Amino acid sequence: VQLQAFGGGLVQTGGSLRLSCAASGRSISSSPMGWFRQAPGKDNEFVAAVAWGDENMDYADSVKGRFFISRDNAKNTLYLQMNNLKPEDTAIYYCASDISPDPTTGGWYGGKMSIWGQGTQVTVSS
């Protein structure tokens, strides 16, 4: 599978953006998919995941209630709706397939089987 993320941009505090991750090569409908982000000088951070079955969503505490992950299996596309954006949300956002749950953090991570998109920059101005 190949993933292409887009939809980032510059937005003011409190604004919204929707990121998209278009997949090609195979269906992502049965794959655990997620969004991660990396801010300057910081490690890659889990943001949101949709697991087996589209009812199973998981979010980092920092984005709960503001970000919403979804996927359109007909379009083979993963989305991240980001509302009430804050300056601390500024980062490069990456989508990934075939992610795994991390029992030590309660989040998810991209392992050896994961495929990553190229990233899209989100900048939130104060």
Side-chain angles (χ1 to χ4, degrees):
V1 64
Q2 292 183 323
L3 304 176
Q4 184 173 8
F6 54 95
L10 174 64
V11 64
Q12 292 184 332
T13 296
S16 297
L17 283 173
R18 188 176 81 155
L19 305 183
S20 300
C21 175
S24 61
R26 68 164 170 86
S27 171
I28 62 169
S29 62
S30 60
S31 170
M33 301 286 296
W35 289 96
F36 298 78
R37 66 187 181 186
Q38 187 165 19
K42 295 188 176 181
D43 292 335
N44 193 10
E45 174 189 29
F46 163 71
V47 175
V50 55
W52 306 271
D54 291 342
E55 297 79 22
N56 299 315
M57 284 75 165
D58 199 7
Y59 298 93
D61 288 342
S62 59
V63 306
K64 278 181 181 176
R66 300 188 297 122
F67 289 15
F68 301 94
I69 190 171
S70 63
R71 61 179 158 193
D72 185 329
N73 292 329
K75 295 183 178 180
N76 215 28
T77 300
L78 180 74
Y79 301 101
L80 184 68
Q81 177 66 42
M82 306 186 295
N83 301 324
N84 192 21
L85 282 159
K86 304 176 181 180
E88 52 264 42
D89 295 319
T90 294
I92 300 175
Y93 283 71
Y94 300 89
C95 58
S97 69
D98 304 292
I99 59 174
S100 301
D102 187 345
T104 62
T105 65
W108 292 71
Y109 71 98
K112 293 181 179 180
M113 298 302 294
S114 296
I115 303 296
W116 294 83
Q118 84 285 7
T120 184
Q121 176 72 47
V122 172
T123 303
V124 185
S125 63
S126 57

